Amino acid sequence: MKWMLKSVITTPKVELLCSKQGRPSGEPSEISYWQKINELETIMNSKVYTCHNESVLAEFVPFSTPKFKIYKRMGVPSALSENLMEKLQILEKKHESSLRNLDLRQSTVLSMVKKISKIRSNLAYCLLDLGVWLALKAAESLSCYKSDFFSWGKLDVFGEATLKKFSLEASQTLATYIPPGLNWSIGDNIESSLDAGLLTTKVRCLIECLLEYRELDDIRCIVFVERVIAAVVLQCLLDELLPKYCSWKTKYIAGNNSSMQVQTRRKQHEIVEEFRKGMVNIIVATSILEEGLDVQSCNLVLRFDPSATVSSFIQSRGRARMQNSDYVLMLESEDLSTHSRMKNYLASGDIMRKESLRHAHDPCPSLKSDQFDEEFIALKALELL
C-alpha cells in the first residue's frame, strides 16, 4: 500500500531509508501496526494519510486480486522415494570415502564433503517436493561442465570435477526411473507422470494455474519460489511443457547470495528487460524480484512457495502492476497454519488503513532538534507497498 505523506520538515537534504526490520511480522495487530505508523510520523515529523477503502486507491495504483489455489499434497510414492534417497546417500558416502583416501589436506576434504552433502540435499528436496523428473534436471544442471547456473566456489580443477562427477552419477541413477524413448516427454501425460512420481501435485498445481491464463495474448507472470534450484528446474519444466499449449517463454532469476549460483547482475537485468518487452513471458524468481521490479504490464504473480513474512507477501503482491491482475497463492490443503498466516497477511492492509484513519486527527509529535545534524536528516520509514 502506498501511503500519502505530507511532510512539514524543511531541510537542505532529506534521505528516505526503508527499514525491513520496522515492519510488523506474524499475526496482524492493531497496536503493533499503529506503533510503526506512529514511529514513522515521529521520525518524519509528518502525518500519514490514507483513504477509507482500497477501491479509492485502486483508481491511482492498481491492486492485484488475491486468489487461493489449493492442492492436496501427493509426492513421490514412498517406496520409490525411499529407494532413491538411499541410493543418493550411498553415492554420497562413496565419494566421501574416495576423498578421504586421497592425499589431500583435511580442510580440503571437509570442504568437498560439505559441498557434496549440499548437492545431495538439493537433489533430495527436488525429489521429495517436485518429483523424480525435476530431481534429474537438477542433477543434470549441476553436472554440466558448460553450465552457467552454478558456481562451485574457490575450487581447483580437481575439486570442481569431483563435484560434477558426483552430480553426473546422481543423474545417471535418477535417469533409470524415467521412461525410455526419444519421443517421450514429461508433458505427454501429466496424470501418468504424477502416478509414476515423476511430478508431484504441487508441480501439477503450478501447471494448472498457468494454463488457466493461456488465452491471454500478452501475459507477464512472475512465479516466486524459495530455492535457487527450484527456479532452475521449474524453468526446465516450463520450457519443455508450455510449447504444447502456447508460445510463452520462460527464464529464471535467482539471487547472487547463493553459493551455488553465478547468474550475473547484467544477465538478470537483460532478462528483466526482455520481460518488459514481452520477449519473456514468465520469470521464475527467488525473493530477489520481490523488491525493485516495476513492470506496468505484469498481470500475474504466482506464489509457488508461500511468503515467510508479511513484508514478502506485500512486496510480491505489489509486482503485479497491471489493472485486473491476479495474485495467486498456492497452498497445500492440510497446511492450516499457512492458510491462517496468508489470511492474516491479507488482513494487514485493512488494519493499517483503519489505524491510520483512527489516528488521523492526532497531533503530529514534535521533532527533537538534536535528532539530526544541520545538513542531513535521515528519515527511517516503513515501505508499505
Side-chain angles (χ1 to χ4, degrees):
M1 178 183 300
K2 290 187 180 291
W3 297 93
M4 291 173 282
L5 305 176
K6 182 179 179 182
S7 177
V8 297
I9 299 176
T10 302
T11 178
K13 184 177 181 181
V14 177
E15 180 177 343
L16 185 64
L17 302 176
C18 298
S19 172
K20 290 184 180 179
Q21 290 78 9
R23 297 171 187 152
S25 59
E27 291 192 9
S29 162
E30 288 84 354
I31 295 176
S32 65
Y33 278 121
W34 167 242
Q35 288 174 342
K36 297 304 176 183
I37 294 171
N38 185 246
E39 178 185 347
L40 173 64
E41 292 183 338
T42 301
I43 293 174
M44 296 187 69
N45 192 29
S46 307
K47 284 298 296 181
V48 173
Y49 294 95
T50 186
C51 302
H52 283 81
N53 56 64
E54 194 171 274
S55 61
V56 177
L57 289 173
E59 295 179 15
F60 306 95
V61 181
F63 285 84
S64 57
T65 302
K67 295 183 177 181
F68 290 93
K69 189 73 173 179
I70 310 299
Y71 65 93
K72 185 175 182 180
R73 181 178 177 83
M74 188 175 87
V76 178
S78 58
L80 175 59
S81 63
E82 290 170 6
N83 184 24
L84 278 171
M85 288 292 290
E86 182 180 1
K87 288 184 176 181
L88 290 175
Q89 289 172 348
I90 291 173
L91 189 61
E92 179 183 8
K93 290 179 180 179
K94 168 191 165 183
H95 282 264
E96 179 181 337
S97 178
S98 296
L99 285 169
R100 295 188 186 281
N101 290 331
L102 295 174
D103 185 18
L104 298 172
R105 289 189 301 178
Q106 183 69 11
S107 59
T108 301
V109 172
L110 291 176
S111 176
M112 296 286 290
V113 167
K114 185 177 180 180
K115 290 180 185 296
I116 288 175
S117 178
K118 185 171 184 177
I119 293 173
R120 200 265 308 162
S121 176
N122 274 276
L123 296 180
Y125 158 75
C126 290
L127 172 64
L128 299 177
D129 273 44
L130 308 178
V132 177
W133 190 87
L134 287 129
L136 171 62
K137 292 302 167 183
E140 289 176 347
S141 297
L142 289 161
S143 65
C144 180
Y145 279 84
K146 295 182 180 180
S147 172
D148 62 349
F149 292 153
F150 300 98
S151 169
W152 303 103
K154 296 180 179 179
L155 294 175
D156 56 19
V157 174
F158 168 77
E160 185 171 327
T162 300
L163 297 180
K164 289 186 175 181
K165 182 180 179 182
F166 170 78
S167 302
L168 177 61
E169 291 187 22
S171 70
Q172 292 169 344
T173 298
L174 292 162
T176 60
Y177 294 84
I178 304 298
L182 296 176
N183 295 325
W184 182 86
S185 171
I186 188 63
D188 290 344
N189 189 321
I190 298 297
E191 293 305 314
S192 176
S193 295
L194 191 67
D195 293 338
L198 303 181
L199 301 175
T200 62
T201 50
K202 184 176 183 179
V203 174
R204 180 181 65 179
C205 182
L206 170 65
I207 296 169
E208 291 174 347
C209 286
L210 289 172
L211 292 182
E212 287 179 8
Y213 295 87
R214 64 179 177 270
E215 300 302 324
L216 289 180
D217 294 330
D218 194 22
I219 191 171
R220 300 286 199 289
C221 171
I222 303 174
V223 178
F224 280 108
V225 298
E226 185 176 319
R227 294 172 178 248
V228 171
I229 194 67
V232 174
V233 298
L234 286 176
Q235 179 194 320
C236 294
L237 172 70
L238 297 179
D239 280 346
E240 184 157 337
L241 186 144
L242 288 180
K244 298 176 183 293
Y245 303 94
C246 53
S247 59
W248 296 344
K249 293 184 179 179
T250 306
K251 290 195 177 180
Y252 88 92
I253 291 181
N256 297 84
N257 59 348
S258 169
S259 61
M260 298 180 66
Q261 200 268 342
V262 294
Q263 195 178 49
T264 65
R265 292 287 187 188
R266 180 177 179 180
K267 180 65 174 178
Q268 292 170 355
H269 290 317
E270 288 175 357
I271 293 172
V272 170
E273 191 58 31
E274 290 174 342
F275 187 67
R276 293 183 196 278
K277 295 177 179 178
M279 299 164 62
V280 170
N281 304 97
I282 301 172
I283 295 179
V284 186
T286 56
S287 59
I288 188 174
L289 283 194
E290 287 182 355
E291 299 184 41
L293 177 63
D294 188 8
V295 179
Q296 297 297 324
S297 56
C298 181
N299 49 16
L300 176 62
V301 170
L302 202 156
R303 292 279 340 185
F304 184 75
D305 295 312
S307 301
T309 65
V310 65
S311 170
S312 171
F313 180 91
I314 293 172
Q315 293 283 5
S316 58
R317 183 185 177 188
R319 295 315 99 208
R321 295 294 192 184
M322 195 172 182
Q323 289 284 359
N324 303 316
S325 58
D326 288 339
Y327 181 56
V328 181
L329 302 158
M330 285 176 47
L331 297 174
E332 183 186 337
S333 58
E334 297 182 2
D335 189 356
L336 300 182
S337 63
T338 300
H339 283 240
S340 176
R341 192 172 81 248
M342 293 303 107
K343 290 178 180 178
N344 287 335
Y345 290 170
L346 278 172
S348 63
D350 286 334
I351 293 175
M352 287 185 280
R353 188 182 306 107
K354 289 176 182 177
E355 285 304 297
S356 179
L357 290 170
R358 190 162 69 89
H359 294 275
H361 298 293
D362 292 355
C364 181
S366 59
L367 182 66
K368 296 180 181 179
S369 60
D370 59 350
Q371 280 184 276
F372 312 105
D373 59 33
E374 295 180 358
E375 296 184 354
F376 185 86
I377 294 181
L379 301 178
K380 184 180 179 183
L382 299 176
E383 184 183 10
L384 304 174
L385 297 178

